[in-house]
Amino acid sequence: MKLKSFSFIFLLLVILIGCNDSTSDEFDDANPDAVARYIETIDVISAQDSDENTTITVNYDANNRVSSITDGIESSIFVYNNNALTNISGQGDNLDIEELYESPYNAFETGEVTEYDSNGNPKKITFIEYEYDYMNDVEVELEYTAEITYDANPNPYFYTLDAAGVISVLDDVDLYLTMSNASSNQAVQARLLFPLNNITGIVYKDEDGETVYNVSADYVYNSVSYPVSGTVTGIEYYENFQGQEETETSIFSVAYTYRQ
C-alpha cells in the first residue's frame, strides 16, 4: 500500500457513449461552490513500517502548470506544447487513485463502471482478477467488484489535474472516439471513471460477493472543504491454511498542503 494519484487519469475504463457534458461541466454540476486549490505536497506515514513513509511533491512552472510530480524516487514530467499537455514522461505513478488508497487491486485500471451515483461518480466497478488454482494447475479468471463511496466535498485533485492539462484532455474526450490508438482509448476510459467528489471508501468483493478488502478514509477538512489531514485504513479478509477467517489491518496517516 502506498498513497499516490496521477496515472489513474490515464489508466481507467470503457468508452462512454452519448456523453454530452464535459468533465469540467460534470464537476461544476456536482460541486457548484467549489473553490480552486492546488496540491503542493502529500505526506504519508505508515503505522506499520516507516520504510513506507513518503512525501509526494507537485511542482509548478512559471505559467502555473504542473511541471512534475515526484515521491523523491520516481518522477512524472509534464510536457506542454502551445499550453496543451502533450506527454507525461518518467516512471512515477504518484497520483494513482489505488496507490493513494493503498489498494491491492487494479479496479481503476482494468474495470468497467456498472453503476453511477446521483452525482455521476462511479459507484460500482467490475474487474477481472487472476488466481492460481493449485488443484488443477491452471490460472482462473474471476470477476470482482469494487463499491465506492463519496462525501459531498469536491475531488481534491481536480484543480491540480486541471493545472496539469489532464482535465482538458478529458474535456476533449469526444475527439478521441474516432481514434483507435492505445493513448486515446486510455483517455476515453479515464473519462468514465473520473471521480467528481472525494472518495471516502472502497469495498472489494470476490466472485461470491464476499468482502476481500475494505478501504476507508477519514479526513479533516479546511474551510473550503479540502482535506488537510486524514487516516486511511485498509482491512484484508482472508482464510488461513486451516480455513479460518482472518483479517490484517494497515493504517496510514496523510497530510496535504496547497499552494498559497
Side-chain angles (χ1 to χ4, degrees):
M1 303 211 351
K2 318 159 190 163
L3 268 115
K4 300 184 177 182
S5 167
F6 246 94
S7 67
F8 95 91
I9 291 302
F10 285 103
L11 296 175
L12 299 179
L13 274 59
V14 190
I15 294 179
L16 182 64
I17 302 299
C19 174
N20 296 318
D21 291 339
S22 67
T23 301
S24 295
D25 289 338
E26 291 181 348
F27 178 84
D28 290 341
D29 289 343
N31 305 281
D33 300 318
V35 177
R37 290 291 183 270
Y38 302 90
I39 294 171
E40 194 166 69
T41 62
I42 307 173
D43 288 315
V44 182
I45 298 176
S46 168
Q48 298 72 235
D49 185 354
S50 61
D51 288 341
E52 295 184 332
N53 297 351
T54 187
T55 296
I56 298 163
T57 302
V58 184
N59 298 301
Y60 297 81
D61 63 19
N63 294 315
N64 296 315
R65 302 173 302 193
V66 171
S67 57
S68 66
I69 303 173
T70 181
D71 62 4
I73 298 174
E74 295 182 334
S75 299
S76 297
I77 310 299
F78 293 74
V79 181
Y80 302 89
N81 184 27
N82 295 325
N83 215 36
L85 179 67
T86 57
N87 190 33
I88 302 176
S89 63
Q91 314 229 340
D93 288 338
N94 288 313
L95 285 178
D96 185 311
I97 196 160
E98 284 168 323
E99 293 282 350
L100 278 164
Y101 285 88
E102 303 299 334
S103 167
Y105 299 106
N106 294 319
F108 283 88
E109 293 183 15
T110 61
E112 177 180 353
V113 180
T114 59
E115 185 178 351
Y116 291 89
D117 68 13
S118 59
N119 272 2
N121 293 297
K123 181 178 179 180
K124 188 174 183 179
I125 300 170
T126 61
F127 62 100
I128 299 300
E129 278 292 300
Y130 295 92
E131 295 184 2
Y132 194 75
D133 181 348
Y134 290 95
M135 296 290 292
N136 299 301
D137 194 29
V138 294
E139 189 176 58
V140 295
E141 183 179 284
L142 304 173
E143 185 176 87
Y144 278 32
T145 61
E147 298 175 359
I148 305 103
T149 55
Y150 304 82
D151 60 24
N153 297 320
N155 179 343
Y157 307 101
F158 177 84
Y159 290 105
T160 305
L161 294 171
D162 193 31
V166 171
I167 300 301
S168 292
V169 173
L170 299 184
D171 282 348
D172 291 337
V173 74
D174 287 346
L175 298 177
Y176 291 90
L177 292 176
T178 59
M179 303 171 67
S180 59
N181 61 61
S183 295
S184 65
N185 288 339
Q186 288 171 347
V188 171
Q189 292 167 352
R191 169 75 173 78
L192 272 180
L193 281 175
F194 189 80
L196 305 173
N197 294 111
N198 187 41
I199 295 175
T200 56
I202 308 174
V203 177
Y204 295 95
K205 296 183 179 181
D206 65 16
E207 72 282 6
D208 297 319
E210 299 291 332
T211 298
V212 293
Y213 206 88
N214 187 356
V215 182
S216 60
D218 184 22
Y219 295 109
V220 175
Y221 297 96
N222 61 18
S223 60
V224 289
S225 301
Y226 283 79
V228 292
S229 63
T231 301
V232 178
T233 303
I235 304 175
E236 181 181 6
Y237 301 82
Y238 63 95
E239 285 188 0
N240 61 24
F241 290 112
Q242 288 73 43
Q244 299 169 320
E245 293 290 336
E246 292 193 10
T247 62
E248 181 175 346
T249 300
S250 300
I251 300 174
F252 292 79
S253 62
V254 57
Y256 295 80
T257 64
Y258 302 89
R259 298 188 81 193
Q260 299 299 314

